[in-house]
Amino acid sequence: MGTGAPRQARAQRAGSVRRRQQVRRRGGLVAALSAVGLPVLGGVADELGGPGVGILFAAGSVLGTAVAAALCSRPGRWWVVTAAPVVVLLAASGVGYAAHPDTYQGRNLGTGALRWVVGAFPVMAATVGVALVVVVGRVVADRRRAGSERRRPGCERRRSGSADAPSGRSRRG
């Protein structure tokens, strides 16, 4: 008869764990959509304004990478850093090819691919730099937060650096 309360408590805990996992999954989905969607949107906007990717593509790529690095999980941080150049290159080449499919046929496809790589390289470097800055900022903030949680009032450590030796002896013997 007394087993109802523990079951209810376990069910409530399980429900809160599920909710936290769902929130994490949504954060990962938003991170992935921003990492891919913003560069594509920027590239499409640049193609509508003229041939090739430009400032809108660069801004979308950098912003999308920064948002993804800020929202992703701890293991996902390094995925964002390493995937940023690949996403930028694929977005630049995909938008360029989709905008002018007849231009990039046969031999011209190799020339176009080289043009996409050269044109996207500065944006790739910028996105990796932004991702690293955001990841390092998150790591520092997490460590500071964890350090302040460990310190409790009234539990200060000794600052002298020397601990008392057992049985009154010195450390040397």
Side-chain angles (χ1 to χ4, degrees):
M1 210 172 186
T3 61
R7 283 185 186 171
Q8 245 181 351
R10 274 185 294 197
Q12 286 176 348
R13 282 193 304 260
S16 67
V17 168
R18 271 189 240 115
R19 281 190 294 277
R20 272 187 258 135
Q21 287 174 344
Q22 289 172 348
V23 169
R24 282 189 209 130
R25 285 187 197 128
R26 275 189 235 127
L29 180 64
V30 172
L33 287 176
S34 67
V36 176
L38 289 175
V40 170
L41 286 176
V44 168
D46 272 342
E47 280 293 335
L48 292 175
V53 293
I55 193 73
L56 294 176
F57 173 72
S61 298
V62 169
L63 182 64
T65 302
V67 169
L71 293 178
C72 67
S73 64
R74 182 177 289 183
R77 292 173 184 173
W78 300 113
W79 282 105
V80 171
V81 172
T82 57
V86 176
V87 169
V88 168
L89 181 60
L90 289 176
S93 59
V95 167
Y97 185 79
H100 309 287
D102 53 335
T103 305
Y104 301 113
Q105 298 295 323
R107 291 185 200 167
N108 292 337
L109 182 60
T111 306
L114 183 61
R115 187 176 301 133
W116 296 325
V117 170
V118 170
F121 184 77
V123 181
M124 288 190 276
T127 57
V128 169
V130 165
L132 286 173
V133 166
V134 171
V135 165
V136 168
R138 282 186 64 189
V139 167
V140 168
D142 288 350
R143 286 191 181 170
R144 283 188 180 171
R145 194 175 315 121
S148 67
E149 289 173 0
R150 273 189 243 133
R151 288 186 231 123
R152 287 175 276 165
C155 297
E156 295 181 21
R157 292 193 297 178
R158 235 188 264 203
R159 297 194 188 271
S160 66
S162 63
D164 292 334
S167 72
R169 298 181 310 182
S170 72
R171 286 186 168 195
R172 293 187 183 165

